[in-house]
Amino acid sequence: KDVLPSYASPLLDKLISVYEKRGSGSLLSLALAYYFSLSFAKSLNLAFGFVAQKRPIEREIFIWIALPFLLIFYGIVLSIAIALFIAGRGFLGFLGNRLVDIFNLLLIFLVVSLLYSSYFRPKRETFIASVFTSFLLFLLNKLFSLVLLKLVNLNPLYTVIGSPLLLLVWLYYSFYCLLIGARLIKNISP
């Protein structure tokens, strides 16, 4: 409250009251995450089908269960990586930062390779594209975190207001990185 202007205090008080009721909001958050992951999964399925120049996967169990949970798993993995980054910085210093970066890159690689292997069959090409896309997503996450930290340092109030827009921009470019990897698989496949 000391950092924010005085006219922002009523808004902050409302946000704090909402935060105190976070137990009931967690279930709603999970339902919203599933809903948006499902729509994202359908879009991703169509986009991969377009890139691979074949029909999208039509197994309903894959669209309704496997892919949304894979996307939610990706979000959880990123949250865990951020928590590990914070803990690593405190306990291990510079070495902790590098270890957390490597762990984060490996987790992104795991999720991306699971996603690509469910759509594309050539294993060598899928591995190459997964490594390339994981590296792109890792760089995108680093860039996103630098931009967010810069905005927080400039003005915390506007950062809170602009965070949903930044999240949508990050999601757009993450989707674009996944499509670049899918196109790479298609181009290097025999």
Side-chain angles (χ1 to χ4, degrees):
K1 283 187 169 182
D2 295 336
V3 177
L4 299 176
S6 61
Y7 55 84
S9 187
L11 176 65
L12 187 61
D13 291 336
K14 289 187 188 275
L15 289 174
I16 289 174
S17 68
V18 168
Y19 178 74
E20 290 171 351
K21 298 174 187 171
R22 66 186 177 271
S24 61
S26 296
L27 189 57
L28 178 65
S29 297
L30 183 63
L32 283 173
Y34 178 77
Y35 173 75
F36 286 113
S37 295
L38 181 63
S39 65
F40 186 75
K42 287 181 179 181
S43 299
L44 193 64
N45 185 33
L46 287 173
F48 278 0
F50 179 75
V51 168
Q53 296 173 347
K54 60 182 182 180
R55 292 176 52 108
I57 296 175
E58 293 180 354
R59 295 180 303 231
E60 288 296 319
I61 195 163
F62 180 76
I63 298 296
W64 284 87
I65 296 173
L67 198 52
F69 281 112
L70 184 64
L71 295 171
I72 290 173
F73 175 71
Y74 177 64
I76 291 170
V77 164
L78 286 178
S79 300
I80 290 170
I82 290 170
L84 288 175
F85 175 71
I86 292 168
R89 177 182 282 176
F91 292 120
L92 300 173
F94 179 77
L95 179 63
N97 290 344
R98 296 306 127 222
L99 290 175
V100 170
D101 286 342
I102 291 170
F103 180 70
N104 188 10
L105 185 61
L106 289 176
L107 287 175
I108 292 171
F109 171 75
L110 172 70
V111 172
V112 169
S113 62
L114 285 173
L115 181 66
Y116 284 156
S117 65
S118 63
Y119 278 93
F120 304 102
R121 293 294 166 229
K123 296 298 179 200
R124 186 180 69 84
E125 290 84 357
T126 304
F127 177 78
I128 292 169
S130 296
V131 168
F132 179 72
T133 303
S134 299
F135 186 69
L136 283 178
L137 287 171
F138 181 75
L139 290 177
L140 179 68
N141 290 340
K142 285 292 187 184
L143 181 66
F144 182 74
S145 64
L146 288 174
V147 167
L148 199 58
L149 285 174
K150 183 70 173 173
L151 289 175
V152 166
N153 288 336
L154 291 175
N155 194 337
L157 179 63
Y158 293 136
T159 304
V160 170
I161 294 170
S163 293
L165 180 62
L166 285 173
L167 179 68
L168 291 175
V169 169
W170 174 80
L171 189 64
Y172 172 79
Y173 284 114
S174 295
F175 190 77
Y176 194 74
C177 289
L178 290 172
L179 289 177
I180 288 172
R183 189 63 186 176
L184 180 65
I185 292 172
K186 182 65 179 166
N187 286 343
I188 63 176
S189 293

